[in-house]
Amino acid sequence: MSDNKKQEKDFTSEVDALLPEADKLAKSGKLQDALDKLFVLEKQTRNAADLSSTTRLAKAIVQHTYDARDFALLNSSVQILSKKHGQLKAVIQAFVEQVIEWLPEIKSRDGLEKWLELVETLRSVTEGKIFLETPRARVTLLLSHHHEGVAKEDSELQKVKESLQTASDLLSDLQVETYSSMERREKTEFILEQMRLLIAVARRKDAEEGKGKDGKDTLGGGEAEWVKVRVGGRKVNEQFLTEKENEDLKLKYYDLMIQHALHHSAYLDVAKYYYKIWETPSIKEDVNGKGKSALEHIVYYIVLAPHNNEQSDMLHHLYIDPPLAKLELHYNLVKCFVTKELMRWPGIQSIYGGFLRKTQVFKAEKQWEDLHTRVIEHNIRVIAEYYSRIKLERLRSLLDLSLKQTEEMLSRLVVSGTVWARIDRPVGIVNFRSKRSAEEVMNDWSSDMQKLLGLVEKTWMGMNAAQAAQARVKAAAGSSS
């Protein structure tokens, strides 16, 4: 199988003479006679490395078998032609692509069974051939969609599971990111399809395990598929998605990544993905539709995200973004988290609860509880900034929690490094300031003394300047009199 051999003879005239003759024989019902004549000349052209003539003959052979609706002969002809000794790669590629074009018509006119047989033949012929990796990927995609369709139509649970798993496995076996012959956009489409099917399989496995979206790090349920989704997401070049003609792929990609992030309750990632969607020109221009929805979701998930430097930075940038000011309720919600003031949970519930609970995000009890947690964490950070010590009972009343819940929340923030605190349980006091060493105390005292001396010197210079000015005024008044 090589294209490097030099052409020894041109068979164009012989092929021009034979093709009409073979066509006449095939139409008169003598298909096998026509094929025999074509195969004889095909051998000669192949051995002479006449690419153009061999391609014409190979395509004529499969065309006659297709026109005769003899699918057994079509399948065998495709396999025979691909296995011929010294067959030219370009010839195989030409008739394989020709047969692929017939697949939609065969499926609709000749039935699913014939279509599946031909698809399996094409997959067999293209297997292991680098120059046919793109046609193989396209045929595999068709077969994967077929199995997915079977999963949707079948009512038996076990068959649905098997069909969906088969559809996912077929596509996951393709390493399209390494295919040099495939265009970048098509590669991205394949990867997104792989991710979509993996998510479908993962959700079904999670439902069977009763796991849902609790974000466990075990590989039970569909966690293996979720890991593959993340790996697939890293194969997509996000810079490529920013091009205008790839907006549809960009939106599909971030939708899949949002599903992945939500499964693991990675709210900050969800907010970042929605921000990428919102930055898309077509979305941002739709101020009252998709653009508004994307901005609202950014707000929801950024306030749900645990506090850290990145979350705080994104929250403050969002707060000063002019489009947010047009959404009064969402602007005020962000303002509550930006302002270093206490947010009493009963007040938050009364002001925002009625609206937020109607949204798709906060309909789920988990997200609502997470919002409650973020409000409490914000309040503890504010208290830690303004208080050095506070009674546990007072802290409990400010947080609107029980003593046990207060200790749990405070302990969680201490462990995460968000605040420093120590609880003296016998006396019921929380200390938000760590004990300082003698060196730190002396350094602070020295710094304060330097500031004090600086102020004294500045005041002294000011007084001298005022006295000098007053003396000049008196001198001027005396000389004038």
Short mmCIF file of all heavy atoms in Angstrom, two decimals, residues 296 299-301 303-304 333 352-353 355-372:
data_model
loop_
_atom_site.label_atom_id
_atom_site.label_comp_id
_atom_site.label_asym_id
_atom_site.label_seq_id
_atom_site.Cartn_x
_atom_site.Cartn_y
_atom_site.Cartn_z
N GLU A 296 -26.88 37.37 35.44
CA GLU A 296 -27.55 36.95 36.67
C GLU A 296 -26.90 35.70 37.24
O GLU A 296 -26.68 35.59 38.46
CB GLU A 296 -29.03 36.68 36.40
CG GLU A 296 -29.85 37.94 36.15
CD GLU A 296 -31.28 37.64 35.73
OE1 GLU A 296 -31.57 36.46 35.40
OE2 GLU A 296 -32.09 38.57 35.69
N VAL A 299 -23.67 36.38 39.02
CA VAL A 299 -23.91 36.89 40.38
C VAL A 299 -24.24 35.73 41.32
O VAL A 299 -23.68 35.62 42.42
CB VAL A 299 -25.07 37.91 40.37
CG1 VAL A 299 -25.46 38.28 41.81
CG2 VAL A 299 -24.67 39.16 39.59
N TYR A 300 -25.14 34.86 40.89
CA TYR A 300 -25.57 33.75 41.76
C TYR A 300 -24.38 32.89 42.19
O TYR A 300 -24.23 32.56 43.37
CB TYR A 300 -26.59 32.87 41.04
CG TYR A 300 -27.88 33.57 40.67
CD1 TYR A 300 -28.62 33.17 39.55
CD2 TYR A 300 -28.36 34.63 41.42
CE1 TYR A 300 -29.80 33.81 39.21
CE2 TYR A 300 -29.53 35.28 41.08
CZ TYR A 300 -30.25 34.86 39.97
OH TYR A 300 -31.41 35.49 39.63
N TYR A 301 -23.54 32.54 41.22
CA TYR A 301 -22.48 31.58 41.53
C TYR A 301 -21.25 32.23 42.16
O TYR A 301 -20.51 31.56 42.88
CB TYR A 301 -22.11 30.79 40.28
CG TYR A 301 -23.18 29.80 39.89
CD1 TYR A 301 -23.98 30.00 38.77
CD2 TYR A 301 -23.43 28.68 40.69
CE1 TYR A 301 -24.98 29.10 38.44
CE2 TYR A 301 -24.43 27.78 40.36
CZ TYR A 301 -25.20 28.00 39.24
OH TYR A 301 -26.21 27.10 38.93
N VAL A 303 -21.44 34.61 44.43
CA VAL A 303 -21.75 34.74 45.86
C VAL A 303 -21.83 33.36 46.53
O VAL A 303 -21.66 33.25 47.75
CB VAL A 303 -23.06 35.53 46.10
CG1 VAL A 303 -22.95 36.93 45.56
CG2 VAL A 303 -24.27 34.81 45.50
N LEU A 304 -22.07 32.32 45.73
CA LEU A 304 -22.10 30.96 46.28
C LEU A 304 -20.70 30.38 46.48
O LEU A 304 -20.51 29.44 47.25
CB LEU A 304 -22.89 30.03 45.36
CG LEU A 304 -24.41 30.06 45.46
CD1 LEU A 304 -25.04 29.21 44.37
CD2 LEU A 304 -24.89 29.58 46.82
N LEU A 333 -27.39 42.65 46.02
CA LEU A 333 -26.92 41.40 46.62
C LEU A 333 -25.39 41.36 46.62
O LEU A 333 -24.77 40.99 47.63
CB LEU A 333 -27.49 40.20 45.86
CG LEU A 333 -27.08 38.82 46.36
CD1 LEU A 333 -27.55 38.61 47.80
CD2 LEU A 333 -27.64 37.72 45.45
N TYR A 352 -34.40 39.07 49.68
CA TYR A 352 -34.03 38.36 48.45
C TYR A 352 -34.64 36.96 48.33
O TYR A 352 -34.65 36.39 47.24
CB TYR A 352 -32.49 38.22 48.37
CG TYR A 352 -31.76 39.53 48.42
CD1 TYR A 352 -31.13 39.95 49.59
CD2 TYR A 352 -31.70 40.36 47.32
CE1 TYR A 352 -30.45 41.16 49.65
CE2 TYR A 352 -31.02 41.58 47.36
CZ TYR A 352 -30.40 41.97 48.53
OH TYR A 352 -29.75 43.16 48.58
N GLY A 353 -35.10 36.41 49.44
CA GLY A 353 -35.57 35.02 49.42
C GLY A 353 -36.68 34.75 48.43
O GLY A 353 -36.63 33.80 47.66
N PHE A 355 -37.48 36.21 45.69
CA PHE A 355 -37.03 36.24 44.29
C PHE A 355 -36.08 35.09 43.98
O PHE A 355 -36.25 34.38 42.98
CB PHE A 355 -36.35 37.58 44.01
CG PHE A 355 -35.67 37.65 42.67
CD1 PHE A 355 -36.40 37.84 41.51
CD2 PHE A 355 -34.29 37.51 42.56
CE1 PHE A 355 -35.78 37.89 40.27
CE2 PHE A 355 -33.66 37.55 41.34
CZ PHE A 355 -34.42 37.75 40.19
N LEU A 356 -35.08 34.91 44.85
CA LEU A 356 -34.05 33.91 44.57
C LEU A 356 -34.61 32.49 44.54
O LEU A 356 -34.18 31.67 43.72
CB LEU A 356 -32.93 34.01 45.60
CG LEU A 356 -32.07 35.28 45.57
CD1 LEU A 356 -31.04 35.25 46.68
CD2 LEU A 356 -31.38 35.43 44.21
N ARG A 357 -35.56 32.19 45.42
CA ARG A 357 -36.09 30.83 45.49
C ARG A 357 -36.87 30.45 44.24
O ARG A 357 -37.11 29.27 43.98
CB ARG A 357 -36.98 30.67 46.71
CG ARG A 357 -36.23 30.70 48.01
CD ARG A 357 -35.31 29.52 48.19
NE ARG A 357 -35.95 28.39 48.82
CZ ARG A 357 -35.39 27.22 49.04
NH1 ARG A 357 -34.15 27.02 48.66
NH2 ARG A 357 -36.05 26.25 49.62
N LYS A 358 -37.26 31.44 43.45
CA LYS A 358 -37.98 31.16 42.19
C LYS A 358 -37.02 30.87 41.04
O LYS A 358 -37.44 30.37 40.00
CB LYS A 358 -38.87 32.35 41.82
CG LYS A 358 -40.02 32.59 42.80
CD LYS A 358 -40.81 33.82 42.39
CE LYS A 358 -41.94 34.11 43.39
NZ LYS A 358 -42.67 35.35 43.04
N THR A 359 -35.75 31.19 41.22
CA THR A 359 -34.77 30.94 40.14
C THR A 359 -34.39 29.46 40.11
O THR A 359 -34.52 28.75 41.11
CB THR A 359 -33.50 31.78 40.36
OG1 THR A 359 -32.87 31.38 41.58
CG2 THR A 359 -33.84 33.27 40.43
N GLN A 360 -33.91 29.03 38.95
CA GLN A 360 -33.51 27.63 38.78
C GLN A 360 -32.34 27.26 39.69
O GLN A 360 -32.23 26.13 40.15
CB GLN A 360 -33.13 27.38 37.31
CG GLN A 360 -33.09 25.92 36.91
CD GLN A 360 -34.44 25.24 36.99
OE1 GLN A 360 -35.46 25.85 36.69
NE2 GLN A 360 -34.45 23.98 37.38
N VAL A 361 -31.48 28.25 39.97
CA VAL A 361 -30.29 27.99 40.78
C VAL A 361 -30.66 27.68 42.22
O VAL A 361 -30.19 26.70 42.81
CB VAL A 361 -29.32 29.19 40.72
CG1 VAL A 361 -28.13 28.96 41.67
CG2 VAL A 361 -28.83 29.42 39.30
N PHE A 362 -31.51 28.51 42.81
CA PHE A 362 -31.80 28.40 44.24
C PHE A 362 -33.06 27.59 44.55
O PHE A 362 -33.48 27.54 45.70
CB PHE A 362 -31.90 29.79 44.86
CG PHE A 362 -30.58 30.51 44.90
CD1 PHE A 362 -30.28 31.50 43.98
CD2 PHE A 362 -29.63 30.18 45.85
CE1 PHE A 362 -29.06 32.15 44.01
CE2 PHE A 362 -28.40 30.82 45.89
CZ PHE A 362 -28.11 31.81 44.96
N LYS A 363 -33.63 26.98 43.52
CA LYS A 363 -34.73 26.05 43.79
C LYS A 363 -34.21 24.84 44.57
O LYS A 363 -34.91 24.30 45.41
CB LYS A 363 -35.35 25.57 42.47
CG LYS A 363 -36.45 26.48 41.92
CD LYS A 363 -37.06 25.90 40.67
CE LYS A 363 -38.15 26.82 40.12
NZ LYS A 363 -38.73 26.28 38.87
N ALA A 364 -32.99 24.45 44.25
CA ALA A 364 -32.38 23.32 44.95
C ALA A 364 -32.03 23.72 46.38
O ALA A 364 -31.47 24.80 46.61
CB ALA A 364 -31.12 22.86 44.21
N GLU A 365 -32.36 22.86 47.32
CA GLU A 365 -32.13 23.16 48.73
C GLU A 365 -30.64 23.30 49.04
O GLU A 365 -30.24 24.10 49.89
CB GLU A 365 -32.73 22.05 49.59
CG GLU A 365 -32.94 22.44 51.04
CD GLU A 365 -33.92 23.61 51.18
OE1 GLU A 365 -34.88 23.70 50.39
OE2 GLU A 365 -33.69 24.45 52.07
N LYS A 366 -29.80 22.54 48.31
CA LYS A 366 -28.35 22.58 48.56
C LYS A 366 -27.79 23.97 48.29
O LYS A 366 -27.01 24.51 49.09
CB LYS A 366 -27.64 21.55 47.68
CG LYS A 366 -26.13 21.48 47.95
CD LYS A 366 -25.47 20.48 47.03
CE LYS A 366 -24.00 20.30 47.39
NZ LYS A 366 -23.23 21.56 47.36
N GLN A 367 -28.17 24.58 47.16
CA GLN A 367 -27.66 25.91 46.83
C GLN A 367 -28.15 26.96 47.83
O GLN A 367 -27.42 27.88 48.18
CB GLN A 367 -28.08 26.31 45.41
CG GLN A 367 -27.14 25.85 44.32
CD GLN A 367 -27.30 24.38 43.98
OE1 GLN A 367 -28.21 23.73 44.48
NE2 GLN A 367 -26.42 23.85 43.14
N TRP A 368 -29.38 26.80 48.30
CA TRP A 368 -29.91 27.74 49.28
C TRP A 368 -29.16 27.64 50.61
O TRP A 368 -28.84 28.65 51.24
CB TRP A 368 -31.40 27.49 49.48
CG TRP A 368 -32.08 28.51 50.34
CD1 TRP A 368 -32.64 28.32 51.57
CD2 TRP A 368 -32.27 29.90 50.05
NE1 TRP A 368 -33.17 29.49 52.06
CE2 TRP A 368 -32.95 30.49 51.15
CE3 TRP A 368 -31.91 30.72 48.97
CZ2 TRP A 368 -33.30 31.83 51.19
CZ3 TRP A 368 -32.25 32.06 49.00
CH2 TRP A 368 -32.93 32.60 50.11
N GLU A 369 -28.86 26.43 51.00
CA GLU A 369 -28.07 26.22 52.21
C GLU A 369 -26.65 26.76 52.05
O GLU A 369 -26.06 27.31 52.98
CB GLU A 369 -28.04 24.74 52.57
CG GLU A 369 -29.34 24.19 53.12
CD GLU A 369 -29.76 24.88 54.41
OE1 GLU A 369 -28.87 25.20 55.23
OE2 GLU A 369 -30.96 25.14 54.59
N ASP A 370 -26.10 26.58 50.85
CA ASP A 370 -24.76 27.11 50.58
C ASP A 370 -24.74 28.64 50.66
O ASP A 370 -23.75 29.23 51.15
CB ASP A 370 -24.26 26.66 49.20
CG ASP A 370 -23.87 25.19 49.18
OD1 ASP A 370 -23.65 24.64 50.27
OD2 ASP A 370 -23.80 24.60 48.09
N LEU A 371 -25.81 29.28 50.19
CA LEU A 371 -25.89 30.74 50.29
C LEU A 371 -25.93 31.16 51.76
O LEU A 371 -25.26 32.13 52.16
CB LEU A 371 -27.13 31.26 49.56
CG LEU A 371 -27.35 32.78 49.63
CD1 LEU A 371 -26.19 33.50 48.94
CD2 LEU A 371 -28.67 33.16 48.97
N HIS A 372 -26.70 30.45 52.57
CA HIS A 372 -26.76 30.72 54.01
C HIS A 372 -25.35 30.60 54.62
O HIS A 372 -24.93 31.46 55.41
CB HIS A 372 -27.72 29.73 54.68
CG HIS A 372 -27.96 30.03 56.12
ND1 HIS A 372 -28.56 29.14 56.98
CD2 HIS A 372 -27.63 31.11 56.89
CE1 HIS A 372 -28.63 29.66 58.18
NE2 HIS A 372 -28.07 30.86 58.16
#
